[in-house]
Amino acid sequence: MISFAIPYAVTWAVRLFGVRHVLRAPRFYGPDWCCDCRVAPGFYENEGRALMRSLQARVLMPLVVEAALGMLLWSQGRFLAAGAMEASAAAAAYLFHLSLLRGVAWRAWRYAVPVPDPVSSLAVSLRQRKIADYQRPWLEWTLRGAVGVVLVLLGVALARPDAGENVARLVGLPGVTLYAVLGLMLAKHAAAAWRVFGTPAVSPEQFMEVQDAARRHLALVCDYLRAVVLTPLLCWVALQGFPGLRAARLYLLVGPLAAVALVGLAPLVQSERQLVKLGRNLRTPLDRYRPVAATPPEGSFYLVGRLCFRPGETAMLMRGPGGLALNGSSLRTRAWLVYGAGWIVIGVAMVAWK
Amino acid sequence: MNAGFLTVDPNDRRPAYQQIAVGVKELIARGELTEGMALPSVRQMAGDLGVNFNTVATAYRELQEEGLIAVKPGSGAVVTSRTAAGKPEGLTRPLRTALVNLILSGMPRAQIRSLVADQLRDLGVAGKGDWR
């Protein structure tokens, strides 16, 4: 139980650390700023109070649900399920927090302090962006190699004479985990293609440097999560293929996972620090930038406010009448919807197999 | 305009596709985009600018029709050889029209020469004094 409790506690610590970060993010540039928008002094005591309360509620409410679910699973002795749930929640929360902050940033523009000579022009880099620019080849090949080894070991496990009674488990667990890894790869591709924010035509090189650093950091987060997900899977499949190792089962499952999780944190923290340092330098040029709302193209329509169809628009999230809306016209959105549908199919298949 | 990027102003009266096309043309004229250099994909540029996919596609189509870029499906657009682009006889007319408009606006000849020299210098074509 202790072996499960330690990673579980570490995940919770990471989760709470992330929550603290998100709640402080709107004041990243100082008390007169709300995200990337310059606001009047005393903003957080007046109009900003409601904005911050809404952010706090949205960030903290899922924590309550997670804690309750975690306690339920622990009380039933389902330690592995509790750990998996918490790890998935931590990964999903990262993306959720990003979208929440984007929403706060957009809402804050209503309270922007007027500037005498605002810049509204956007700059665009003429450099082609490729996924290869944001990944470390040795890490990518290691992770791909790990997937290959998982498949080979799975073959070994399935070839065993006693495999017949465990086929559903032998195929199901690696299948679900590899599908999660596929989702992380999709997220990495999305991070590499993401513009992060529109580049104002004032000191664009500085903005582009931050955008690049943000993409690199997000790609690293995805790789870190891939490594953290693949490591226990690799050990688990090895245990299925070579039952002689089962005596050291607990050490094999928890040890490599803890090692990978801890060793991987160092470059992640370093990358985040660099990103924060670069980001703070943006305050001066940001002060002169005022975004102009884009007009929706012909044929746009909104379905229940949160799902829109804007033909020809490539962005996944667009500003809709009720806030951020998912753009069903974007190829990336469709890919994610198909991926999400895959999870529903997996869920149904798991229930049917039971 | 600076090296390696172009700007689009949402408050500009010109449509976005025209601003993109003119921006790319200027970079080619200044030698910052040379033959064989790859441009970002239509999807990437549209996403970065937050404009419609078709806006960038129209700009690229215009540049392709003028022979300034070659669009290859799947591999993006590349800048073509400058000798292959444009026919000089068709280009002198707009220049003449612009000069006539400047003269008719009452601008002194010396100022017009200075203006033309500034523009050429900005495009990296001539050094100071070449046109005075």
Side-chain angles (χ1 to χ4, degrees):
Chain A
M1 184 177 156
I2 289 288
S3 317
F4 287 110
I6 293 169
Y8 188 76
V10 169
T11 315
W12 258 101
V14 170
R15 187 85 173 78
L16 292 174
F17 185 71
V19 164
R20 182 173 159 265
H21 249 52
V22 173
L23 294 178
R24 288 166 61 160
R27 291 183 177 95
F28 177 73
Y29 292 120
D32 294 347
W33 289 80
C34 185
C35 296
D36 56 351
C37 170
R38 186 78 185 252
V39 289
F43 171 75
Y44 290 100
E45 282 79 50
N46 301 304
E47 304 96 327
R49 191 188 287 261
L51 209 63
M52 289 305 285
R53 279 203 181 142
S54 145
L55 177 68
Q56 284 161 0
R58 288 170 190 217
V59 169
L60 297 174
M61 278 309 285
L63 277 182
V64 177
V65 178
E66 262 173 69
L69 198 59
M71 278 165 70
L72 181 73
L73 291 170
W74 274 89
S75 65
Q76 292 175 349
R78 297 166 73 184
F79 309 129
L80 193 62
M85 185 275 293
E86 196 46 50
S88 324
Y94 194 87
L95 299 174
F96 178 57
H97 290 164
L98 278 178
S99 75
L100 279 182
L101 286 175
R102 179 55 66 97
V104 169
W106 280 359
R107 285 165 68 192
W109 278 105
R110 270 185 284 169
Y111 311 107
V113 171
V115 285
D117 184 22
V119 172
S120 55
S121 310
L122 285 174
V124 61
S125 167
L126 290 176
R127 187 172 65 86
Q128 259 188 0
R129 270 201 312 276
K130 293 179 190 132
I131 181 79
D133 302 335
Y134 301 100
Q135 61 193 15
R136 300 166 185 210
W138 66 268
L139 183 60
E140 187 58 35
W141 283 109
T142 306
L143 292 171
R144 287 183 194 182
V147 172
V149 174
V150 164
L151 294 175
V152 170
L153 288 172
L154 190 62
V156 172
L158 286 170
R160 288 182 57 79
D162 57 344
E165 50 206 67
N166 290 325
V167 168
R169 198 167 64 107
L170 278 175
V171 175
L173 188 68
V176 170
T177 314
L178 289 176
Y179 195 67
V181 170
L182 177 69
L184 288 167
M185 286 173 79
L186 266 177
K188 188 177 165 182
H189 276 265
W194 191 28
R195 71 168 181 170
V196 187
F197 45 75
T199 316
V202 46
S203 305
E205 298 95 339
Q206 221 177 325
F207 284 92
M208 286 170 189
E209 196 182 359
V210 175
Q211 289 166 340
D212 243 18
R215 287 185 205 111
R216 204 160 283 124
H217 177 70
L218 287 173
L220 193 61
V221 170
C222 291
D223 283 343
Y224 174 77
L225 293 174
R226 276 165 77 194
V228 164
V229 168
L230 278 173
T231 306
L233 175 69
L234 190 64
C235 299
W236 183 84
V237 180
L239 283 169
Q240 307 308 311
F242 303 97
L245 296 170
R246 282 184 191 165
R249 191 174 65 151
L250 216 56
Y251 296 107
L252 266 176
L253 282 175
V254 179
L257 171 62
V260 166
L262 289 175
V263 169
L265 271 182
L268 212 58
V269 170
Q270 192 190 8
S271 149
E272 191 179 277
R273 279 192 181 165
Q274 195 193 354
L275 181 59
V276 167
K277 194 177 153 193
L278 286 171
R280 280 203 204 282
N281 295 337
L282 281 187
R283 183 163 43 183
T284 318
L286 257 183
D287 207 9
R288 286 183 54 209
Y289 174 60
R290 289 289 175 273
V292 175
T295 45
E298 218 173 290
S300 303
F301 65 94
Y302 287 86
L303 195 68
V304 292
R306 293 289 175 187
L307 180 65
C308 67
F309 288 87
R310 291 177 59 157
E313 300 281 0
T314 55
M316 271 181 73
L317 290 171
M318 316 253 12
R319 204 194 301 228
L324 280 175
L326 202 61
N327 177 21
S329 300
S330 154
L331 280 178
R332 211 169 283 283
T333 307
R334 290 178 189 174
W336 278 107
L337 288 175
V338 169
Y339 180 75
W343 276 114
I344 296 170
V345 172
I346 286 173
V348 170
M350 281 167 81
V351 171
W353 252 339
K354 274 186 178 175
Chain B
M1 192 167 306
N2 295 287
F5 58 84
L6 55 90
T7 58
V8 171
D9 185 355
N11 294 324
D12 196 318
R13 275 189 297 175
R14 289 176 304 164
Y17 84 87
Q18 215 172 6
Q19 293 185 53
I20 295 167
V22 169
V24 173
K25 280 181 204 172
E26 276 195 29
L27 286 171
I28 293 173
R30 282 158 57 169
E32 287 171 21
L33 282 177
T34 51
E35 185 186 344
M37 275 176 83
L39 290 176
S41 66
V42 172
R43 196 165 291 280
Q44 180 188 320
M45 195 183 272
D48 285 3
L49 282 171
V51 297
N52 198 285
F53 181 88
N54 296 320
T55 303
V56 182
T58 308
Y60 274 25
R61 208 175 305 124
E62 189 180 299
L63 290 164
Q64 192 181 15
E65 278 166 10
E66 291 182 27
L68 293 168
I69 63 168
V71 180
K72 293 170 191 166
S75 58
V78 287
V79 178
T80 52
S81 161
R82 281 175 66 183
T83 50
K87 300 280 183 287
E89 59 269 25
L91 300 173
T92 48
R93 196 167 297 150
L95 174 66
R96 195 177 173 84
T97 309
L99 288 170
V100 166
N101 286 339
L102 285 170
I103 294 165
L104 292 177
S105 74
M107 192 182 275
R109 308 264 158 127
Q111 206 178 332
I112 294 172
R113 279 198 199 96
S114 164
L115 195 74
V116 172
D118 284 348
Q119 292 299 316
L120 285 168
R121 200 165 43 246
D122 189 45
L123 291 170
V125 175
K128 194 171 181 179
D130 284 5
W131 288 76
R132 286 169 200 263

